[in-house]
Amino acid sequence: MNACDGERYWRVFPDRTLTGPATPLGTQAAHLIYPSWLLRCRLSGARDINYRGRRARQLRVTRGPGTEHIAGPLTYFPADAIVDAETGCLLRLISYIGDAPSAWWELDDLSTEPIDPDDFRVYVPPGTRVLEETGNPITDFAAGMPGLSGTATRIAFETVHRTASAVSAARSFLDDLRGRR
């Protein structure tokens, strides 16, 4: 789960929570909120439905002209999309490989009414490890990896970072000695 209250951002994992300053919406969320990319695809089978108490339209999405590569978040087709009738946002998007779902995106609790910013804060149970994001995507990615493989990856990234820093410091020192600065 990801949450942002405009000041802080949280990424919640089963055994830890990463937090940091608020960031712009990631492309995955933006593709749900601004689904104009769907217009490059072939849309068919439109039917009006009620989804989670909201009026919506369900569509089948297949490759269209200009979608040889990637359309929005989709890398596989076909897909099923549910579009909110009021806002035009995607409420749900499921991409398939054959008959098996390969990716699933969903917006929960969509509302056009003003909301208290406290509703966007994450409750972190006592004892949960909370880590501050560093801003380095590789380090932050490794921080979210669970178990032994996550620990090994974090140690490897830290070792590479320290080694690169040591090499850079040694080069600077040698350049100073040679008078190249």
Side-chain angles (χ1 to χ4, degrees), residues 74-93:
L74 296 177
T75 52
Y76 298 103
F77 289 89
D80 286 322
I82 297 178
V83 181
D84 184 72
E86 180 183 356
T87 65
C89 295
L90 278 168
L91 298 176
R92 187 179 80 188
L93 180 65

Side-chain angles (χ1 to χ4, degrees), residues 155-165:
I155 290 169
F157 283 145
E158 187 176 314
T159 302
V160 167
H161 179 71
R162 285 183 183 171
T163 302
S165 296

Side-chain angles (χ1 to χ4, degrees), residues 67-173:
T67 58
E68 292 79 27
H69 300 289
I70 297 175
L74 296 177
T75 52
Y76 298 103
F77 289 89
D80 286 322
I82 297 178
V83 181
D84 184 72
E86 180 183 356
T87 65
C89 295
L90 278 168
L91 298 176
R92 187 179 80 188
L93 180 65
I94 303 173
S95 177
Y96 295 90
I97 298 175
D99 291 334
S102 67
W104 185 310
W105 299 271
E106 194 155 350
L107 284 178
D108 289 334
D109 299 325
L110 182 66
S111 174
T112 57
E113 300 298 317
I115 295 178
D116 183 349
D118 286 338
D119 290 345
F120 290 94
R121 289 202 170 84
V122 173
Y123 170 73
V124 179
T128 301
R129 190 165 56 127
V130 177
L131 305 168
E132 186 72 22
E133 288 189 338
T134 66
N136 178 327
I138 294 172
T139 303
D140 293 339
F141 172 76
M145 293 177 69
L148 187 56
S149 62
T151 301
T153 303
R154 285 188 288 281
I155 290 169
F157 283 145
E158 187 176 314
T159 302
V160 167
H161 179 71
R162 285 183 183 171
T163 302
S165 296
V167 168
S168 178
R171 281 187 182 147
S172 294
F173 176 73

